Amino acid sequence: MKDFVNTLYRNHTLLYKILLFICTTFLIVYLFPKSGRFKYDFEKGKPWQSENLYAPFNFAIKKSNEEISTEQQAVKASAIRYFDIDSGIKEQVFKDYKITFNESISDSIPRSDYRALFNEGTKILNDFYNYGVLHEENGFNAKSTVVLLENRVEKVSAEYSNLVKQENIKPLIIKTLSDHNLSAYEKQFLSVYYDVIQPNLTYNKEFTERALDEELNKISYTRGSIEKETLLISKGEVVEGDKFQVLKSLESEYESQVWNASNYNWIVFAYTVLVSLALLMLLLFLRKYRRDVFENNNKVTFIFFNVLFMVFITSLVVNYNAHYIYVVPICILPLVLKAFFDARLGLFTHVVTMLLLGSIVPNSYEYMFLQIIAGIVTILTVSELYKRANLFISVGQITIVYIIAYFAFFVIHEGSIDNLKWETFLMFILCGLATLFVQPLIYAYEKMFGLVSDVSLLELTDTNTKLLKELAEKAPGTFHHSLNVANLAEACANEIGANSMLMRVGALYHDIGKMKNPTYFTENQSTGINAHDELAPKESAKIIVDHVLNGIEIGKKNNLPDRVIDFIRTHHGTSVVYYFYMMEKKSNPDEVNMDDFRYLGPKPFSKETAILMMCDSVEAASKSLKEPTSTKIDAFVENIIDKQMDEGQFLNSNITFKEIQSIKKVLKLKLANIYHLRIEYPE
């Protein structure tokens, strides 16, 4: 058991990568649609690009959404409305009418008018309650069919206009009295009616909606059928009208037939294989070409997170409305990866992500072509991301490339620009604007994953930062030395194409450990007193060697990024403090252990850290040059760097002999400028 635990501990980084690989694979597969996918891509109004298509099986032609919506509207418009009748109200109204009429109508009116008025009132009531009086106006169409229910049994059917609305009662009474020359009694008669009349019809909403649902459910969602082996569409034929609906029906039928328990498992398995292959290629690329990234689990997690994030955003848009797929700012992915790593890793990851997204987006070839081209443009155009103008210019170029490529695809499919969809261009512009969000996203990633981008490096180059101001106060000579090294290192980095911004930051902070004992370093000994005179060579060497450890400690305490601390850790590699080693050797030639005078390392493991070692040694030693000439400087630079090469200090860094020769050339030129070497003019 103990051996097993030890094995797990020794291989924990590999186990983490395996777990990350598995989790990312299953999360991406979970986001993908699990139905079978129609193997043909087509769009309405565009030519059929594939071979002649024959029906693979019998299937029904589904109606379009517009057809179904039209039928539903027709059913709703002709739907029957149901009203409940309160049968007891009519009888009670007639009784109340007789009593109230006798009490309210004066006996002083002529007997003939009295009888005529009473009879007309009775006729009006009969007309009102022939169908009934509504409780409230429902706003239905006057021609709508209504059914009156008594005790939930259909009693009579009529038009909605036959039902009496309460606001219509007064006009009807006034007209009837006028027609029979009884208008003189209008006021008295109306008071009788308002006292006795009561609504007896109530809208039965529940019953009406249930009946409407039954009618809607009777609507057929298909029209006709297609027999197997029937020619559906020929190559080059335009997909429109019935052809489009037939193809949509076949696509839907195909996907629904694939959707079952056994096939579902096969589809998930197939997606898992494809996704795992793509992610495996990404891991193998990191292992072969970016070993430093591969061995850093935090960086691998960051890369996988970004791939998963892009798949997640795209899946959301596809599920909502695939029409807006080009609004998703996919180019943020290569932008972010280039900001934290390099262009090659950014482009490779972008291509792998596009291969994954090709499984879920419509018109996958067109989509992948556009996005890969846009990703290449992103990698080629975006440089010095910390300069805001560069980002705006690059986003503008990316947007133009999107528009040009889409225009070319449209012309290829349509053969003309008559039906060009201008709103798609607006989507590309929105995509470009969304890409500008990369700046705050980079800042968020720096905090989440502890990475450092050029934007943060630019902030660290400010000599007014707390740490550099402290260095300038406590160890002014070291500060001046660091500035000179930064200038030399930046020039060398530009010469061989290394990261000049990272180079400058590393050079500025590489000697911050000297703040702890500044007077033990010659550049800070302004009084002419050497503090080492009172120490043994071994003690002096320990103080010198410890400035690296002190620098790492100070850097971590002040939250310097790991990429910057790497310069502190490696700028002396495993070299020997030769001056004190020779002093000790003179005193005790038989008891000297060179390792007591050696820096702990590690050796430089990148071009940038190797450049710093060369520039630091050359700049520091150049102070001892007396009466420098071009010949002396050339020999001086050659000797220092060749000695470092002989000691194997650059074996772990990916720097070539050609690049080292270029660095030597830059250092010679810079030192010659520093010492103002001129030709000697005759007197």
Side-chain angles (χ1 to χ4, degrees):
M1 182 65 183
K2 186 177 179 181
D3 292 339
F4 176 73
V5 172
N6 289 335
T7 303
L8 286 180
Y9 180 77
R10 286 195 302 272
N11 298 286
H12 70 280
T13 56
L14 179 61
L15 291 174
Y16 176 83
K17 289 183 181 68
I18 294 172
L19 183 62
L20 177 66
F21 174 83
I22 293 171
C23 290
T24 307
T25 299
F26 280 106
L27 282 172
I28 291 175
V29 171
Y30 174 77
L31 293 171
F32 279 5
K34 307 305 185 302
S35 60
R37 189 167 180 224
F38 196 47
K39 63 180 180 178
Y40 299 103
D41 286 327
F42 61 93
E43 284 190 67
K44 189 174 184 178
K46 294 186 177 181
W48 179 256
Q49 298 294 320
S50 305
E51 69 277 3
N52 294 352
L53 179 63
Y54 295 87
F57 43 72
N58 299 336
F59 65 93
I61 303 173
K62 293 188 175 182
K63 295 177 182 176
S64 66
N65 292 334
E66 292 78 10
E67 290 176 301
I68 294 171
S69 178
T70 301
E71 290 188 29
Q72 288 175 339
Q73 293 300 325
V75 169
K76 290 176 181 178
S78 61
I80 297 173
R81 274 71 179 184
Y82 291 88
F83 290 82
D84 291 320
I85 300 176
D86 189 338
S87 55
I89 288 179
K90 179 179 179 181
E91 184 179 348
Q92 184 63 43
V93 166
F94 276 91
K95 287 180 181 179
D96 292 343
Y97 172 69
K98 289 179 181 179
I99 297 169
T100 306
F101 189 88
N102 288 328
E103 292 176 352
S104 300
I105 302 301
S106 174
D107 293 336
S108 61
I109 68 172
R111 197 68 184 167
S112 58
D113 288 349
Y114 180 89
R115 284 195 300 272
L117 195 59
F118 179 82
N119 291 336
E120 289 305 321
T122 304
K123 287 179 183 178
I124 292 172
L125 284 179
N126 280 321
D127 289 341
F128 283 176
Y129 286 98
N130 183 35
Y131 292 106
V133 179
L134 290 169
H135 269 276
E136 58 184 357
E137 170 63 59
N138 299 101
F140 298 136
N141 189 297
K143 297 294 184 181
S144 297
T145 302
V146 297
V147 171
L148 308 183
L149 304 174
E150 187 172 355
N151 297 324
R152 304 188 71 82
V153 176
E154 182 177 337
K155 183 179 180 182
V156 66
S157 176
E159 288 186 355
Y160 183 68
S161 59
N162 295 132
L163 308 184
V164 178
K165 292 81 175 173
Q166 294 192 53
E167 62 267 21
N168 295 335
I169 292 175
K170 183 177 179 179
L172 289 171
I173 293 174
I174 292 172
K175 184 178 184 304
T176 302
L177 294 177
S178 177
D179 291 343
H180 294 81
N181 299 317
L182 296 170
S183 297
Y185 310 112
E186 179 184 306
K187 187 174 183 180
Q188 292 171 290
F189 191 77
L190 284 173
S191 66
V192 172
Y193 254 75
Y194 284 135
D195 286 342
V196 300
I197 200 163
Q198 297 181 51
N200 67 333
L201 296 181
T202 305
Y203 178 53
N204 192 328
K205 185 178 180 181
E206 180 184 354
F207 199 93
T208 301
E209 290 181 350
R210 192 184 310 144
L212 177 60
D213 288 341
E214 290 178 2
E215 292 300 317
L216 289 174
N217 290 334
K218 292 178 183 178
I219 295 175
S220 173
Y221 286 81
T222 62
R223 51 175 176 83
S225 61
I226 298 291
E227 297 293 326
K228 185 178 180 180
E229 300 299 331
T230 302
L231 176 63
L232 302 181
I233 192 167
S234 303
K235 185 174 182 179
E237 191 174 352
V238 177
V239 180
E240 57 185 358
D242 287 342
K243 294 286 184 183
F244 176 74
Q245 203 54 42
V246 167
L247 290 173
K248 291 297 290 184
S249 301
L250 176 60
E251 181 182 35
S252 176
E253 190 69 24
Y254 177 83
E255 293 177 356
S256 65
Q257 286 194 13
V258 171
W259 182 265
N260 57 56
S262 60
N263 287 350
Y264 172 85
N265 294 330
W266 278 109
I267 290 169
V268 171
F269 173 75
Y271 269 134
T272 304
V273 170
L274 290 177
V275 173
S276 59
L277 277 175
L279 295 180
L280 182 61
M281 294 305 104
L282 182 55
L283 278 177
L284 292 176
F285 174 85
L286 293 175
R287 186 173 181 272
K288 184 172 180 62
Y289 296 105
R290 289 305 306 270
R291 190 81 186 190
D292 58 320
V293 176
F294 179 78
E295 292 175 353
N296 189 319
N297 283 341
N298 183 51
K299 293 179 179 178
V300 175
T301 304
F302 173 72
I303 295 169
F304 274 54
F305 173 81
N306 275 277
V307 173
L308 179 61
F309 180 67
M310 285 300 160
V311 173
F312 172 71
I313 295 296
T314 307
S315 299
L316 284 181
V317 175
V318 169
N319 291 333
Y320 173 70
N321 189 342
H323 181 67
Y324 299 110
I325 191 68
Y326 287 115
V327 178
V328 180
I330 294 293
C331 287
I332 281 181
L333 179 63
L335 269 175
V336 167
L337 294 181
K338 185 180 180 182
F340 288 112
F341 304 109
D342 60 62
R344 184 166 61 166
L345 175 56
L347 181 59
F348 189 88
T349 307
H350 179 69
V351 171
V352 169
T353 307
M354 290 308 100
L355 293 176
L356 292 173
L357 294 179
S359 303
I360 62 173
V361 297
N363 302 316
S364 55
Y365 173 75
E366 179 180 319
Y367 177 84
M368 291 169 63
F369 184 92
L370 284 175
Q371 298 294 5
I372 290 175
I373 288 295
I376 293 172
V377 171
T378 302
I379 293 297
L380 294 178
T381 60
V382 176
S383 60
E384 298 179 325
L385 193 60
Y386 54 87
K387 295 181 180 178
R388 288 172 296 181
N390 288 0
L391 179 60
F392 278 94
I393 293 169
S394 296
V395 167
Q397 292 170 333
I398 293 165
T399 304
I400 291 171
V401 167
Y402 268 132
I403 292 173
I404 292 173
Y406 172 78
F407 177 81
F409 267 109
F410 187 88
V411 172
I412 290 171
H413 290 158
E414 295 286 339
S416 70
I417 61 172
D418 296 338
N419 300 316
L420 192 63
K421 298 178 181 178
W422 298 102
E423 61 270 18
T424 307
F425 294 160
L426 178 61
M427 290 185 202
F428 290 135
I429 294 172
L430 291 175
C431 177
L433 294 175
T435 306
L436 295 174
F437 184 70
V438 71
Q439 285 284 21
L441 190 62
I442 287 174
Y443 177 79
Y445 280 153
E446 287 179 335
K447 300 304 178 186
M448 289 169 58
F449 293 93
L451 300 172
V452 59
S453 68
D454 285 352
V455 179
S456 294
L457 291 176
L458 180 63
E459 294 175 357
L460 290 172
T461 59
D462 184 4
T463 54
N464 287 316
T465 58
K466 178 184 175 182
L467 198 54
L468 290 181
K469 285 179 74 174
E470 187 180 354
L471 177 64
E473 291 172 3
K474 292 183 177 180
T478 300
F479 177 72
H480 182 69
H481 160 73
S482 297
L483 287 175
N484 290 337
V485 173
N487 292 330
L488 292 173
E490 188 174 18
C492 294
N494 286 326
E495 181 69 21
I496 67 170
N499 189 333
S500 59
M501 181 65 69
L502 178 62
M503 191 74 259
R504 183 169 188 83
V505 174
L508 285 173
Y509 291 88
H510 78 283
D511 266 346
I512 57 174
K514 292 181 179 180
M515 286 192 292
K516 196 163 186 178
N517 297 298
T519 56
Y520 286 90
F521 299 91
T522 55
E523 67 265 24
N524 300 312
Q525 294 171 354
S526 58
T527 60
I529 300 173
N530 191 342
H532 291 284
D533 292 342
E534 300 178 2
L535 299 176
K538 192 176 290 187
E539 292 175 329
S540 295
K542 186 177 187 314
I543 292 173
I544 299 298
V545 169
D546 281 351
H547 89 271
V548 172
L549 298 177
N550 294 332
I552 295 171
E553 182 182 345
I554 293 170
K556 289 183 176 179
K557 186 177 179 181
N558 286 271
N559 297 317
L560 285 182
D562 288 339
R563 292 172 74 186
V564 177
I565 293 177
D566 286 340
F567 286 92
I568 303 173
R569 186 181 287 114
T570 61
H571 74 278
H572 284 295
T574 56
S575 60
V576 174
V577 186
Y578 201 70
Y579 177 80
F580 293 110
Y581 169 70
M582 294 305 295
M583 285 183 64
E584 181 69 16
K585 197 171 183 181
K586 287 179 182 179
S587 304
N588 302 299
D590 299 326
E591 299 179 7
V592 179
N593 183 356
M594 185 177 283
D595 289 337
D596 293 337
F597 298 85
R598 189 183 298 280
Y599 285 97
L600 299 177
K603 296 176 181 179
F605 47 78
S606 66
K607 288 182 181 180
E608 289 78 13
T609 51
I611 292 171
L612 179 63
M613 173 179 274
M614 298 181 211
C615 295
D616 181 44
S617 300
V618 167
E619 202 285 330
S622 68
K623 298 294 189 295
S624 62
L625 280 174
K626 297 178 180 178
E627 299 180 2
T629 63
S630 295
T631 305
K632 281 185 178 180
I633 288 175
D634 289 354
F636 168 77
V637 171
E638 290 285 346
N639 289 337
I640 289 179
I641 295 179
D642 287 348
K643 183 181 179 183
Q644 291 173 337
M645 292 174 65
D646 292 341
E647 293 175 354
Q649 297 295 337
F650 307 136
L651 291 178
N652 296 335
S653 57
N654 57 340
I655 194 165
T656 64
F657 285 116
K658 183 179 180 181
E659 288 169 336
I660 292 175
Q661 291 303 317
S662 298
I663 291 168
K664 287 180 179 179
K665 182 180 177 182
V666 172
L667 290 174
K668 292 171 185 176
L669 179 62
K670 288 291 181 181
L671 287 178
N673 291 335
I674 289 171
Y675 289 105
H676 304 287
L677 296 181
R678 295 185 176 90
I679 60 171
E680 295 183 5
Y681 294 98
E683 294 183 1

